[in-house]
Amino acid sequence: MLWKGRLSWKQYIPSKRARYEIKSFEICESSSGYIWDFFVYTGKDTEYRQEYRQMDSMGAKVVLTLAHNLLGKGYTVNMDNFFSAPQLYDKLCESNTDAVGTLRANRKEVPKQLTGKRLKKGEIAALYCGKLMALKWKDKKDVHMLSTYHDARTVEIPARRAQEAKVKPKVCCDYNNTMGGVDLIDAYLHAYPSARKRLKKYYKKQFRHLLDMAALNIP
């Protein structure tokens, strides 16, 4: 949520259009964008669930706090490379919850024999540990994926116009098809905000933002 006023836990993210913002984390249903749970990030004072506060990774604390009431029910959590890590995926597997997402190659737990492997365009390399698969695929650039329910099989993507048919790992296709929930709800929240005029108090804008989220959650 855009906020340029004074606030100790205001975030600065230069890659985003709203560079100064109040950050919140959300878990949403993939097709509709329905917000299942969320919380506002307030720096060191962020209220994670008690049982996850001792974990080293902030991404793991965020995901497990948001998904806590969904664990053990057979759901799948999709996430981007900010959150994905083998330790988190193992923790989710222990709770009968699958996970899939993109992966940063410089994560400590990711084996170097995979990330350091040189591939030609279209080639795939994968390593397995129990249910967990780490995959590297050479497209225009290296793509790293992590999943608890995929293997290295590929699917053929139909050709578009004069282009040739393309072969992609199935894990990439499934991820692309189920990753839009948070982006969808954020697009609505930024396109149709109820607080159009500039508010001088952050809590007033936050309240309007919460109203917008509640309205979008109405079936």
Side-chain angles (χ1 to χ4, degrees):
M1 185 184 71
L2 175 64
W3 181 256
K4 295 184 178 180
R6 291 184 179 181
L7 193 62
S8 61
W9 32 272
K10 175 180 66 178
Q11 301 293 301
Y12 174 69
I13 304 178
S15 62
K16 293 198 173 185
R17 184 178 179 183
R19 293 193 295 271
Y20 293 95
E21 61 181 27
I22 295 174
K23 177 188 280 292
S24 63
F25 293 105
E26 303 161 357
I27 183 167
C28 301
E29 198 276 327
S30 62
S31 59
S32 65
Y34 180 88
I35 304 170
W36 169 261
D37 199 1
F38 80 99
F39 63 85
V40 177
Y41 177 71
T42 57
K44 293 181 179 179
D45 298 325
T46 302
E47 288 292 327
Y48 303 107
R49 288 190 68 92
Q50 181 66 40
E51 53 266 51
Y52 307 128
R53 290 180 184 174
Q54 301 304 318
M55 298 192 72
D56 296 331
S57 168
M58 188 186 84
K61 289 187 284 190
V62 170
V63 172
L64 292 170
T65 296
L66 290 172
H68 179 78
N69 292 322
L70 298 173
L71 300 180
K73 298 180 180 180
Y75 286 104
T76 298
V77 181
N78 299 330
M79 63 194 85
D80 64 20
N81 58 30
F82 177 82
F83 304 99
S84 283
Q87 183 185 23
L88 170 59
Y89 281 44
D90 287 339
K91 185 75 173 176
L92 290 170
C93 272
E94 292 172 7
S95 301
N96 192 31
T97 302
D98 281 316
V100 60
T102 52
L103 178 67
R104 293 183 181 180
N106 58 359
R107 292 282 189 192
K108 289 190 296 184
E109 306 96 335
V110 181
K112 299 297 181 184
Q113 61 263 39
L114 178 70
T115 58
K117 197 167 189 177
R118 291 192 174 185
L119 302 175
K120 296 179 181 179
K121 188 172 182 179
E123 289 185 338
I124 295 173
L127 292 176
Y128 299 86
C129 181
K131 284 189 67 178
L132 187 62
M133 178 198 68
L135 177 140
K136 181 177 182 179
W137 171 50
K138 182 70 173 183
D139 191 23
K140 292 181 180 178
K141 59 181 181 180
D142 290 334
V143 178
H144 296 86
M145 302 292 299
L146 204 59
S147 176
T148 61
Y149 67 99
H150 287 93
D151 55 24
R153 75 181 67 180
T154 59
V155 294
E156 187 174 287
I157 306 301
R160 293 184 179 179
R161 299 180 183 176
Q163 297 178 350
E164 296 181 359
K166 189 175 184 179
V167 175
K168 294 178 66 173
K170 190 174 188 303
V171 61
C172 295
C173 297
D174 289 348
Y175 172 79
N176 291 335
N177 291 334
T178 56
M179 189 51 195
V182 174
D183 292 337
L184 178 63
I185 200 69
D186 283 350
Y188 282 131
L189 289 171
H190 285 87
Y192 308 106
S194 61
R196 295 188 178 275
K197 66 178 182 178
R198 185 172 180 178
L199 299 174
K200 295 183 179 180
K201 302 294 183 181
Y202 84 89
Y203 52 82
K204 291 184 179 180
K205 187 165 186 179
Q206 184 73 65
F207 177 72
R208 291 292 190 93
H209 190 70
L210 294 175
L211 287 179
D212 292 342
M213 293 172 70
L216 286 171
N217 261 16
I218 297 174

